[in-house]
Amino acid sequence: MTDARVLVIGLDPAKLEGWDPEPIQTGIARGRARFVDHGIEADWCLVAPDENPEGAIEEALIRGAYACVVIGGGIRKDESMLGLFEKVVNLVRRHAPDAAIAFNSTPEDCLEAALRWLE
């Protein structure tokens, strides 16, 4: 469909305390498969808030030229993640200034979020 690459940034459900990671991991797997089904290359950067997420995100952004960066709801919607969300937006601005920034609702609809900007 397109030669554009997408980067999806989100929280790693396996590294969050107090959560059953399986439902989110299943959603992420479905979301990844949807990119493959549509012929769109997508990289995923899943971070843990207490394991230098900024460094991991910066490395991911530097690794590729992205047409769109999708920022996941776990980072955006939880008030305790506000500082990280601001850092993510500014890292994208700094390292991928030409990339569109998109927001998903669930791990499974990352493709739709990206397509709003790729089409």
Side-chain angles (χ1 to χ4, degrees):
M1 175 181 203
T2 179
D3 290 334
R5 283 178 73 185
V6 174
L7 177 63
V8 178
I9 299 171
L11 296 177
D12 185 340
K15 296 183 178 180
L16 299 175
E17 291 185 30
W19 285 83
D20 175 9
E22 194 277 325
I24 301 298
Q25 290 169 325
T26 299
I28 290 170
R30 287 184 186 136
R32 285 180 189 250
R34 297 187 71 229
F35 278 103
V36 172
D37 291 345
H38 283 78
I40 298 173
E41 187 175 350
D43 299 325
W44 293 64
C45 178
L46 301 178
V47 300
D50 58 350
E51 294 181 3
N52 186 22
E54 297 92 342
I57 293 165
E58 186 171 34
E59 286 178 27
L61 288 164
I62 291 169
R63 266 195 310 266
Y66 296 104
C68 183
V69 177
V70 179
I71 303 173
I75 293 173
R76 288 189 337 275
K77 295 179 181 180
D78 185 336
E79 190 174 324
S80 69
M81 295 285 127
L82 181 60
L84 177 59
F85 176 53
E86 290 175 342
K87 289 175 185 175
V88 170
V89 170
N90 283 295
L91 285 168
V92 173
R93 286 182 55 231
R94 184 177 313 130
H95 297 291
D98 295 328
I101 298 174
F103 305 114
N104 66 346
S105 297
T106 71
E108 293 183 44
D109 73 0
C110 292
L111 174 67
E112 285 78 13
L115 286 176
R116 288 192 294 268
W117 296 97
L118 296 178
E119 294 187 319

